[in-house]
Amino acid sequence: MDKLIINGGKKLSGDVSISGSKNAALPIFISTILAPGCHEISNVPFLRDINTTIKVLEQLGASVEGRGNLVKIDTTNLNSYEATYDLVRTMRASVLVLGPLLARFGQARVSLPGGCAIGARPINLHLKGLAALGAEITLEHGYVEAKAKKLKGARINFDISTVGGTEQLLMAAALAEGDTILENAAREPEIVDLAEMLIKMGAKIDGAGTDTIRITGVDSLTPAKHSVMPDRIEAGTFMVAAAITGGDVRIHNMRLDHLDALAFKLQDAGVQITNKDNVVRVKGPAKVRSVNIKTRPYPGFPTDMQAQFMALMCLADGASVISENIFENRFMHVSELLRFGADIVVEGNTATVKGVKKLSGAPVMATDLRASASLILAALAADSTSEITRIYHLDRGYEFIEKKLAGLGADVQRVKDETGV
């Protein structure tokens, strides 16, 4: 295993380019199941989760060429409708193959994804929606088995806003008979990106990006070319990196309008943000002001930026209150931030963060993807050396982050972790 060694205290400056979105690329890759033929997906990040998705598609019989940037996926000769436990357990998004396989083959057998470090994230809304489209669903031996001669359009009202559920039903309904209306649908930009891919394939979709999406099913879809949207969470992480180090960073290939909630909170904290010629410049203040946040579904403050923002608040002037309203176990980074000298008290889904004058370098361990990012940010601002282990979490969602940080002047190295922790 690898670990990162970071010598903190350096202000980041310079230019960085944001990679394609992992959370958009995964369902877009999976959507290729719906249309036999060769698809070309560009602006693809080189990440572990992307490679896992490729393995899932190859297990189904797809032919995949390329890793990173441009990937060609040929789904002409799919010969299986089963996604096995050994792959689904490593990445929850694999369960999204259920709807496309059902729509294409009339049947699917997909492993239940199991638990998750940041919450159970059940797929009951996926299954309820597919059942509404006419699927016969059974759960046996840890697998979801679904059958339907032909999916039929339906009105589906999600009990709660669900990104994965919206993506699942969006893909399944594209080949259903008649109209499907998704109410209380997720509004995330990644949903819009998936819809744009499906429309290029010939799907008829209106309302993506709103809470009501209408899909008129078509008889068949054709292969498409698509460029994945920029990763808004990576962009947000670099915005916070500039802020927490008092730096001055210009961020390329990002959509600031996808991060309005974060940008507003950063500005409240004293961070200067300007957007000129599609380059976002972020300048950190001499002293960060404390700001309260509550995570909400898009367009609210993203749960995937909560840990990073908490790291920033550790150095704020005053106390801030951070409420996590999306996932029940997403404060696991707190115990590791305390090792840097942070002052954080957690009660239920609320963390009270009292700003301290400085953070001190420490050995810490990552517990999940976004927690990894928060520890890197704290280490960048700390006054000495930190070691971050279990960074395999990091490699699931950040492309070459240590190289990008080094390009901004950070003292960061990836080395082998001989302890094997």
Side-chain angles (χ1 to χ4, degrees):
M1 292 186 185
D2 293 347
K3 64 181 178 181
L4 292 183
I5 299 177
I6 299 175
N7 295 309
K10 300 184 183 302
K11 294 184 178 182
L12 301 188
S13 64
D15 295 81
V16 65
S17 185
I18 300 305
S19 300
S21 168
K22 171 187 82 99
N23 289 340
L26 300 183
I28 285 170
F29 272 38
I30 290 170
S31 73
T32 63
I33 292 171
L34 293 166
C38 188
H39 305 254
E40 292 188 13
I41 316 298
S42 58
N43 198 36
V44 178
F46 188 83
L47 299 170
R48 281 183 58 192
D49 278 6
I50 294 292
N51 288 334
T52 299
T53 305
I54 289 173
K55 289 178 182 178
V56 171
L57 291 172
E58 288 177 335
Q59 186 183 69
L60 296 172
S63 174
V64 183
E65 294 181 16
R67 293 292 191 276
N69 192 24
L70 180 64
V71 177
K72 296 181 180 180
I73 305 172
D74 191 337
T75 56
T76 302
N77 298 314
L78 293 191
N79 53 20
S80 173
Y81 52 85
E82 179 176 334
T84 58
Y85 173 71
D86 61 325
L87 287 176
V88 176
R89 70 182 176 84
T90 64
M91 190 190 68
R92 293 188 53 86
S94 302
V95 78
L96 290 177
V97 302
L98 183 61
L101 287 174
L102 185 60
R104 178 166 170 178
F105 294 110
Q107 57 186 329
R109 187 171 189 266
V110 178
S111 170
L112 287 167
C116 177
I118 59 172
R121 297 201 274 185
I123 63 167
N124 59 303
L125 297 181
H126 298 229
L127 305 184
K128 183 178 178 181
L130 290 172
L133 294 179
E136 178 185 325
I137 296 173
T138 57
L139 302 178
E140 291 185 0
H141 309 297
Y143 278 78
V144 179
E145 297 195 21
K147 294 181 179 180
K149 288 184 178 180
K150 180 67 176 179
L151 296 175
K152 298 184 183 298
R155 182 183 293 270
I156 299 167
N157 191 307
F158 293 109
D159 295 335
I160 59 173
S161 177
T162 164
V163 174
T166 301
E167 292 169 340
Q168 184 83 265
L169 274 297
L170 191 61
M171 290 187 284
L175 289 177
E177 182 181 296
D179 290 347
T180 298
I181 298 175
L182 305 181
E183 297 174 332
N184 195 29
R187 299 167 58 188
E188 275 75 359
E190 293 81 8
I191 299 289
V192 177
D193 211 32
L194 172 61
E196 289 178 356
M197 170 65 173
L198 291 170
I199 290 169
K200 290 175 182 177
M201 292 161 64
K204 296 180 178 179
I205 300 169
D206 290 309
T210 74
D211 59 6
T212 302
I213 304 175
R214 179 184 291 272
I215 307 104
T216 299
V218 296
D219 292 333
S220 63
L221 298 172
T222 56
K225 295 181 180 180
H226 185 76
S227 179
V228 177
M229 62 173 272
D231 194 313
R232 62 191 175 100
I233 304 304
E234 183 192 13
T237 301
F238 275 97
M239 292 175 75
V240 177
I244 200 170
T245 63
D248 185 353
V249 175
R250 292 176 296 276
I251 306 175
H252 301 255
N253 190 37
M254 71 166 284
R255 290 276 302 273
L256 187 58
D257 59 317
H258 288 170
L259 287 164
D260 282 344
L262 172 64
F264 291 148
K265 290 297 183 179
L266 286 174
Q267 289 171 326
D268 287 347
V271 180
Q272 296 180 39
I273 301 172
T274 56
N275 188 6
K276 184 178 180 181
D277 299 328
N278 294 320
V279 178
V280 177
R281 185 177 182 184
V282 183
K283 295 180 68 176
K287 186 62 179 178
V288 175
R289 295 193 293 264
S290 60
V291 177
N292 299 334
I293 63 167
K294 294 181 179 180
T295 63
R296 300 287 189 196
Y298 188 87
F301 193 95
T303 180
D304 279 353
M305 284 302 306
Q306 176 258 109
Q308 299 92 310
F309 199 85
M310 182 182 288
L312 178 64
M313 290 299 98
C314 289
L315 289 169
D317 184 10
S320 57
V321 178
I322 297 176
S323 300
E324 174 54 60
N325 299 304
I326 307 298
F327 293 124
E328 63 270 26
N329 297 329
R330 211 163 200 179
F331 282 146
M332 291 191 296
H333 48 280
V334 169
S335 60
E336 299 302 299
L337 288 175
L338 294 176
R339 294 175 58 80
F340 288 102
D343 185 347
I344 307 170
V345 176
V346 175
E347 292 186 12
N349 71 328
T350 300
T352 301
V353 185
K354 294 182 180 178
V356 296
K357 291 185 177 180
K358 69 172 185 176
L359 297 176
S360 298
V364 292
M365 181 179 68
T367 53
D368 63 62
L369 173 55
R370 306 308 173 186
S372 304
S374 74
L375 302 183
I376 288 177
L377 295 171
L380 290 172
D383 63 1
S384 52
T385 302
S386 300
E387 291 188 6
I388 304 174
T389 56
R390 290 195 177 180
I391 61 168
Y392 56 84
H393 292 290
L394 192 73
D395 295 333
R396 289 185 47 235
Y398 290 94
E399 183 179 43
F400 309 130
I401 190 170
E402 71 275 11
K403 294 180 180 178
K404 292 184 178 183
L405 288 170
L408 296 173
D411 186 346
V412 53
Q413 286 184 305
R414 177 186 288 253
V415 300
K416 289 292 181 185
D417 183 4
E418 302 300 337
T419 66
V421 175

